Amino acid sequence: MLAGGSVAWIYTTDAVEHVALNTLHSDVTLGVCEDMSMVNRTLEAIPACPMLNANIAYGDESVQDTLIDETHGHKVLLLQCKPLLKLGRESGKDVELQGRIKKVKPGHACCLVCASGTTGN
């Protein structure tokens, strides 16, 4: 979120329709998934998610960084969390990151969570 993206957590209970609805309505650019079953649900929802640029897999270390979709007019990447964190640490952009952190104030929204109650189901 401090990198400038809009994030959606893809939950184990989310159906493909919920993934599509939540990502579309919040202009999500990054999906966060625990494992490949959740990544696969996101893949099915990609046609309805024009802003989605990447899925970050945090719980499945067998996931390899790859291009997962390029058929709907934009690229969607699958990224493994640990290498992504390492890249962030090595980026040399700590000053920029600290500047973003300092702009966050009490009362600023950090994350909107869409659960089944949010979608009306």
Side-chain angles (χ1 to χ4, degrees):
M1 289 168 269
L2 289 170
S6 300
V7 177
W9 294 94
I10 311 302
Y11 295 99
T12 55
T13 56
D14 284 346
V16 173
E17 298 80 24
H18 293 142
V19 173
L21 179 69
N22 293 342
T23 55
L24 178 64
H25 286 198
S26 54
D27 289 336
V28 164
T29 56
L30 300 170
V32 180
C33 302
E34 184 176 1
D35 58 28
M36 282 306 295
S37 69
M38 292 190 287
V39 169
N40 288 333
R41 277 181 248 160
T42 305
L43 285 173
E44 291 182 52
I46 284 176
C49 307
M51 301 292 290
L52 186 67
N53 294 318
N55 268 324
I56 300 169
Y58 67 88
D60 187 345
E61 294 194 23
S62 68
V63 171
Q64 299 295 313
D65 291 359
T66 187
L67 176 67
I68 56 175
D69 188 87
E70 195 173 22
T71 60
H72 295 93
H74 68 288
K75 292 181 181 181
V76 180
L77 302 172
L78 175 60
L79 306 169
Q80 215 285 326
C81 191
K82 284 186 180 180
L84 188 60
L85 291 172
K86 181 180 178 195
L87 179 66
R89 282 191 300 274
E90 296 172 353
S91 71
K93 297 194 177 205
D94 288 343
V95 172
E96 182 179 338
L97 179 60
Q98 291 304 316
R100 289 179 180 180
I101 291 170
K102 287 179 183 177
K103 290 180 182 177
V104 177
K105 304 292 180 208
H108 287 180
C110 174
C111 182
L112 297 176
V113 177
C114 296
S116 60
T118 312
T119 60
N121 294 325

